Amino acid sequence: MDSEKIESAVRTILSQIGEDPNREGLAKTPHRVAKAFEALTVGYAQDPALVLGDALFESASDQMVLVRGIEFYSLCEHHLLPFFGHAAVAYIPNGKVVGLSKIGRMIDIFARRLQIQERLTEEIADAIMQTVEPKGVAVLVSARHLCMEMRGVQKYNATTTTSALRGRFLTDIRTREEFMSIVNAPAKDRY
Ligand code: ZN
């Protein structure tokens, strides 16, 4: 990634919106924006399969493992504006389980690329299917999109929810219902 090219592009944007890129408050802005984009798109240089594959453990359990309330921040690929929210991930082990903290790390890797929420949701489910090889995976993502809210396309605080189901969660309605009821339970009932 060539920071100087990003900086010069940001200077172009600043002058095109009628600003003076040389005024004091903006002088370091191109550099800051380049740094910010470097951090917000660091996921391109990281491999989610590697993160998950590093933390697999044998397990005889075939009970649903569910993590919810996993915060994430991403950029929409249509406007380069943030969308952010929470993900819930469940899977049914088939001989292997994965370290729980790695699920959040894996989501961060996908989120720190330009995304649409639908693809982010699918990519999370597929990464777990491919590395943990469980009997099924369910992913639910709820997010606010600033590209809609700030431009007035959508009411403030509206959330968009997407889901991706694989294996048992697709074929067995009871497994799916169990997932949904745990995910939708208020936090105080769970902890
Ligand atoms: Zn957008």
Side-chain angles (χ1 to χ4, degrees):
M1 177 165 158
D2 187 339
S3 300
E4 280 182 23
K5 284 195 172 158
I6 295 182
E7 291 180 31
S8 101
V10 173
R11 269 190 289 274
T12 303
I13 293 174
L14 289 173
S15 34
Q16 288 306 307
I17 63 173
E19 271 288 359
D20 168 13
N22 297 315
R23 75 174 169 84
E24 202 191 337
L26 293 178
K28 288 184 179 157
T29 296
H31 180 68
R32 292 191 197 99
V33 174
K35 284 278 165 214
F37 268 90
E38 202 175 313
L40 298 178
T41 61
V42 75
Y44 287 113
Q46 299 172 332
D47 183 354
L50 221 66
V51 168
L52 291 179
D54 234 20
L56 292 176
F57 308 98
E58 277 180 37
S59 167
S61 165
D62 63 351
Q63 298 303 299
M64 185 186 302
V65 178
L66 190 148
V67 196
R68 63 175 198 160
I70 308 167
E71 241 181 272
F72 74 88
Y73 297 85
S74 191
L75 289 178
C76 86
E77 68 181 19
H78 300 139
H79 305 90
L80 305 187
L81 288 171
F83 70 97
F84 57 96
H86 294 91
V89 174
Y91 68 95
I92 298 165
N94 188 17
K96 284 188 275 187
V97 292
V98 65
L100 292 182
S101 67
K102 304 293 178 179
I103 293 178
R105 277 265 297 128
M106 174 265 290
I107 292 176
D108 267 345
I109 292 174
F110 285 126
R112 289 178 189 183
R113 299 173 181 184
L114 301 186
Q115 279 290 4
I116 58 172
Q117 186 179 329
E118 293 86 341
R119 188 174 65 231
L120 174 65
T121 311
E122 300 285 333
E123 284 178 343
I124 295 167
D126 289 336
I128 293 184
M129 276 311 269
Q130 283 154 21
T131 51
V132 189
E133 298 175 314
K135 291 175 182 165
V137 171
V139 180
L140 200 75
V141 174
S142 295
R144 288 176 56 188
H145 292 252
L146 293 191
C147 65
M148 291 195 278
E149 295 187 28
M150 292 178 77
R151 297 183 312 134
V153 179
Q154 197 180 54
K155 289 251 181 268
Y156 297 113
N157 284 316
T159 59
T160 304
T161 300
T162 46
S163 64
L165 305 170
R166 303 283 186 271
R168 184 82 63 84
F169 289 92
L170 264 183
T171 55
D172 183 357
I173 188 164
R174 281 172 53 201
T175 305
R176 190 159 70 236
E177 281 172 357
E178 187 186 346
F179 169 69
M180 292 307 293
S181 72
I182 299 174
V183 165
N184 291 326
K188 65 177 169 55
D189 295 347
R190 293 280 308 144
Y191 303 110

